[in-house]
Amino acid sequence: MNSKIEAALNEQIKKEEFSSRLYLSMAIWAEINGFPGAANFLYKHTEEERMHQMKFVHYVNERGGRAALMDVEKPQDKFDSLKDVFKQIFDHEVYITGSINELFGLANDEKDYTTANFLQWFITEQLEEENLMRTILDKINLVGSDKAGMFHIDKELDILAASQGSSQQ
Ligand code: FEO
């Protein structure tokens, strides 16, 4: 595997690891701030990011490269509200989509079509993740500060977490 591609994939391993830690930090916040459904959803999402990280790890190694772990910064652990949490998740997923797109562009520039093909799964996944987070954020914006509305959203997130659990790879 081309060393440029290997280095870029290893950077992505770090980003997926950070995503997992960021969502874990958010899950902890949600759990101790009275949002058990959101906490379940975020704990599940932490595992999903770990699964993304592992996909990259195995891919780099299978292609004859070496997956490398790097220092990962401590994620934020204070949030203003559940809305703040989901706004930050949405922004973070947009950032990750940009990163995957750059990787895809690099793979094509380097004529590494096997890596470009591998990245297709992530391109589809990012579209789904952005849509999911946008939908949740829209609902939170809609209820505003209405407590009953927030309670309902938390219940919905709990149901979503249960369905994610059964569909996880
Ligand atoms: Fe690994 Fe949420 O994207």
Side-chain angles (χ1 to χ4, degrees), residues 31-154:
E31 190 166 37
I32 63 171
N33 280 281
F35 299 109
N40 281 342
F41 175 84
L42 292 163
Y43 281 129
K44 280 273 154 52
H45 216 75
T46 294
E47 290 168 23
E48 201 159 309
E49 297 302 343
R50 169 80 175 166
M51 182 268 283
H52 293 172
Q53 181 191 11
M54 293 308 292
K55 268 186 186 280
F56 279 106
V57 165
H58 292 312
Y59 179 74
V60 171
N61 289 342
E62 278 163 14
R63 286 289 309 282
R66 182 184 176 143
L69 297 182
M70 300 179 206
D71 287 343
V72 180
E73 66 258 47
K74 181 178 178 285
Q76 180 181 340
D77 57 6
K78 289 185 181 65
F79 304 94
D80 294 339
S81 60
L82 199 61
K83 178 179 167 179
D84 180 31
V85 166
F86 278 92
K87 173 77 176 77
Q88 289 204 38
I89 295 177
F90 178 71
D91 290 346
H92 187 70
E93 289 299 335
V94 170
Y95 161 72
I96 294 293
T97 299
S99 177
I100 297 285
N101 287 344
E102 271 181 34
L103 260 177
F104 185 77
L106 178 69
N108 280 293
D109 289 348
E110 296 291 319
K111 298 193 177 359
D112 183 346
Y113 300 118
T114 309
T115 295
N117 188 48
F118 164 75
L119 291 168
Q120 290 285 357
W121 184 90
F122 284 92
I123 290 171
T124 307
E125 175 75 1
Q126 283 311 119
L127 179 67
E128 286 172 9
E129 293 217 335
E130 276 190 32
N131 280 340
L132 175 63
M133 299 312 173
R134 186 186 291 109
T135 304
I136 295 168
L137 191 56
D138 284 349
K139 283 186 183 176
I140 292 174
N141 281 330
L142 205 65
V143 301
S145 55
D146 179 61
K147 284 210 169 81
M150 284 307 295
F151 180 79
H152 185 68
I153 285 174
D154 192 60

